Amino acid sequence: MFSSDKNIDIITQLVGDIKKDVTLRYERLQINCVSKLSQLLSFIVVGAILFMLLSLAVMFVSMMVASALEGLIGSQTASYAIIVAFYVILGVIIYANKKRLVTGPLTNFIANLFLDEKPAAGKGSDVNSNKQK
């Protein structure tokens, strides 16, 4: 049954097609990994830039509030102590709710990024995605 030349040619073609399919799947996996890692890296870079800018803004707003409190309280040290106490209380609140405020959203973001069934390269690059919905 398998001894005829036609069957051997079909099996050879089938093996070649399987090798080609495996190669294409591996290349697709590489492209998806690069795409997802670049999305993650861009998220980290944008997050770091926003963190630095917001840190500067918070620092200047804190100094402004401390100056305003100094006029009301009469003591620069006490006004800075009030600002520090506010940030300590805020830190304790965030630490107490870290699972809900930090860990959960970060885990969901990474899980959605890497476990998404749709190819990452196709998001937003479709011509029809700019049409009105």
Side-chain angles (χ1 to χ4, degrees), residues 3-5 8 15 22 29 33-34 38 44 48 52-53 62 67 69 74 79 84 99 106 109 111 114 116 121 123 128:
S3 62
S4 74
D5 289 339
I8 292 174
V15 168
V22 168
L29 178 67
C33 285
V34 167
S38 65
I44 290 170
M52 289 187 310
L53 291 175
S62 296
S67 295
L69 284 175
S79 64
V84 168
K99 191 168 195 171
L106 189 60
F109 172 75
F114 284 105
D116 191 14
K123 291 183 182 177
N128 296 327

Side-chain angles (χ1 to χ4, degrees), residues 59-70 73 75-87:
M59 182 183 69
F60 286 119
V61 168
S62 296
M63 294 181 82
M64 180 188 68
V65 170
S67 295
L69 284 175
E70 181 183 354
I73 297 173
S75 171
Q76 184 179 18
T77 307
S79 64
Y80 282 118
I82 291 172
I83 299 296
V84 168
F86 170 76
Y87 285 124

Side-chain angles (χ1 to χ4, degrees), residues 5 26 28 31-32 38 44 49 54 66 72-75 79 86 117 129:
D5 289 339
Y26 179 70
R28 180 176 168 217
I31 290 171
N32 282 340
S38 65
I44 290 170
I49 291 170
L54 288 175
L72 294 174
I73 297 173
S75 171
S79 64
F86 170 76
E117 293 297 323
S129 67

Side-chain angles (χ1 to χ4, degrees), residues 2 4-22:
F2 286 105
S4 74
D5 289 339
K6 186 176 183 183
N7 288 339
I8 292 174
D9 289 341
I10 290 173
I11 291 173
T12 305
Q13 183 181 3
L14 181 63
V15 168
D17 288 345
I18 290 172
K19 286 181 182 178
K20 187 176 182 182
D21 182 56
V22 168

